[in-house]
Amino acid sequence: MSYSTRKKTSTDNANCVQSRTDRRNTLMSGHRACQGCGEALAARCVLDAAYNATNGNIVVVNATGCLEVFSCVYPENAWNIPWLHSLFANAPSVASGVASAMRVSGKTKIRVIAQGGDGATTDIGMGALSGMFDRNDDVLYVCYDNQAYMNTGVQRSSSTPPLARTATTLPIGSYMGNDAKTGKNLPKIAIAHNIPYVATASIAHLFDLEQKVATAIGIRGSRYIHVHVPCPLGWGIQPSDTIKIARLAVDCGLFPLFEAKDGVVRTSFTISNIVPVEEYLKPQRRFAHLFGKNAAPNVIAHMQKLADENIKEYQLMGENTHG
Amino acid sequence: MLHQLEGSRAIAKAVALCRPNLICAYPITPQTHIVEELGEIVRSGELQNCEYLNVESEMAAISATIGSQAAGVRSYTATSSQGLLHMVEAVYNASGLDLPIVMTIGNRAIGSPINIWNDHSDAMAVRDAGWIMLFAESNQEAVNLHIQAFRIAETVKCPVMVCVDGFILTHAFERVNIPDQKEVDEFLPTYKQHITMDPVTPLAIGAMVPPEYFMEVRYMAHLKQQKSISVIEQVRDKFSDKFGGNSSGLFHKYNAQDVETIVVTMGSVAGTIRDVVDDINCKHGNKFGVLTLISYRPFPQDAIREILKSAKKVFVVEKAFAVGIGGILAQEIKLSLLRTNVPVISIIAGLGGKPITKSMLFDCLLENHQRDTKFLGLNDGLVKKKCSFAGDCCTNN
């Protein structure tokens, strides 16, 4: 089958919630995130879009992690919306409880969003998330995926890409970093739960991200958005390159952008100029051991294969090439 | 109205009368019948305006009640044993967030070795979590305590755990008086949320608290426990006014005035102990009394000291112990009796459902104890056979 495709247009940026002076700034300035933090940017964009789409009727449950730690250290608080942090592993369950409370008290206009990093989502809280999906509880769950445990100093998570260097996958001797055949594809796992809406998004494509949030927030039941967010500290990139690296991840095919409804992928975001994976990997210190004097062309070929498979599976090439 | 009911079903009926808006259900023996019955009550429409959530774990059960209670509705769940330990992190979180959740514990041993029978090891594992912990002696008391628990929790803004001995109470059929809905409505006001998740007045709940403030927050939790001592008594009085009868409070005293020896205990074994004490007093003169703690947290230390300080000897019979040290309640009783000369003998009994018989207790309470800690009914022979280093260091008797 072929998906419908979405391409970036010249008017997209002008229509962004982020480009408007009346945006809510759900996550206000003054928080303690690192310079160039992809997660902070994504969280504000996602929640501003949700705020905009619901006339301000959102409440947010946050898992423990960078986002929670940098945004709300007593007596300071950067959130401009109702916000509840309980624990690392239980954000989906807490959000299910909040959604039940809203339903039972007749406040059905208020939409519940749960959010967490990849550790909270793909590892420690995955059982809770699966339970929430299974019950189809009325929650939009957003994962900000920076591909490792950044808050504790860059350790491997099940979302860490193959061959990446983290504090617990240091490339030493013949060990080339994170094992090549490990890791979870959480968007696919979410789709397998047959929930009404699953999407992937990137902070490099803001309009697409905002559109997906606006779509998701209007649907009842469990919804999942997986946002790719570079981490300058953990990935070893310049803070000024966060968006550039995010865009390269999409453009090389390693992070495909798509939407799935009711268990089936329906839409993908086509890439105008596909780039080789090296262009994405090379600027990042976490992949530096794959280049230079210990270059490992065979493992880079493995990464290219993963990207190629995505390009084929999600039909990421221009519309003309679809069959 | 009087009913002949299984303990779990009676508890479920009492909980339903309190009109919770969210009930989280996850099965674990011996608590399961409680949430089963509540499911029936909700699905049949007997309890209106209540969400019944079948969750995927105990961690999810307590977490969903955290979410719903924070969003402003009365919330309830129940668990036992491994289930309580599975949710421990969130048990601390619920009290830290001042959420007046009510949870039933069908008390059961903790493995390994896995064991489904009754003791108090599960509740004791969370004794420092900042919850109010009430122990029921009978199914009637369990019913009364649950109705009071919601009022106590919502008055103090602190979660309450009602502990009910697994099987011994949860599965026992007894005649139980279940109050009318109208009376419970008059006793338990509609829940008014003290925190809220309202887009009009955004509030951040669950901030990280740095060293400048953390100790103060924990100290305030301590003050809250102390304050709740008087709240439990006030709620007991109001409950008595409304429903009559012996309506719990902090503890039950039985013949505890001017006697030589007082036996302190918690939970369903209190009835057996009272019988034994009656037998002893009958045979040997009026020498024994019983103090049954209902409120384990808050621990009513001053009142306990007043009752026990003139005794010549205190026995603490408890269904849990701290491995490597001994009785847990016994240590706290000893602490309450600091700077008195009252000796405290710790009797560890009924672990993992080991029967506690009248004759065992009768002999034990009259024995001249050489040691401070005794394991009631312990099969010394088995220990010596299976444990190569038991030898002379076997501390029993």
Side-chain angles (χ1 to χ4, degrees), chain B residues 254-255 259-263 271-290 313 315 317 357-367 369:
Chain B
Y254 181 76
N255 197 40
V259 285
E260 285 180 10
T261 307
I262 299 178
V263 185
T272 313
I273 292 176
R274 276 202 302 271
D275 276 0
V276 172
V277 160
D278 281 349
D279 290 351
I280 294 175
N281 289 345
C282 216
K283 251 187 179 160
H284 302 277
N286 192 28
K287 289 181 177 166
F288 277 67
V290 185
K313 192 197 272 184
F315 284 99
V317 179
T357 65
K358 279 177 68 177
S359 65
M360 283 156 79
L361 277 170
F362 188 95
D363 294 345
C364 177
L365 295 178
L366 290 174
E367 205 176 293
H369 291 272

Side-chain angles (χ1 to χ4, degrees), chain A residues 74 83 85-86 90 103 135, chain B residues 51 56 63 93 205-206 208:
Chain A
Y74 182 85
W83 182 87
H85 161 245
S86 174
N90 71 351
R103 198 158 47 236
R135 293 185 300 270
Chain B
E51 294 259 329
E56 78 286 351
S63 298
N93 190 249
I205 306 165
M208 168 172 275

Side-chain angles (χ1 to χ4, degrees), chain A residues 235-255:
Chain A
W235 295 12
I237 57 172
Q238 288 303 311
S240 54
D241 286 344
T242 300
I243 304 292
K244 190 174 134 190
I245 295 293
R247 180 169 293 115
L248 285 167
V250 174
D251 286 351
C252 73
L254 277 176
F255 194 82

Side-chain angles (χ1 to χ4, degrees), chain A residues 92-121:
Chain A
S93 318
V94 172
S96 294
V98 174
S100 288
M102 293 306 171
R103 198 158 47 236
V104 82
S105 31
K107 299 174 185 166
T108 47
K109 261 191 193 166
I110 298 175
R111 312 297 284 132
V112 184
I113 299 170
Q115 57 184 5
D118 49 292
T121 308

Side-chain angles (χ1 to χ4, degrees), chain B residues 106-121:
Chain B
N107 292 110
R108 165 185 151 182
I110 296 289
S112 176
I114 189 168
N115 172 294
I116 61 164
W117 293 274
N118 166 246
D119 70 28
H120 291 167
S121 307

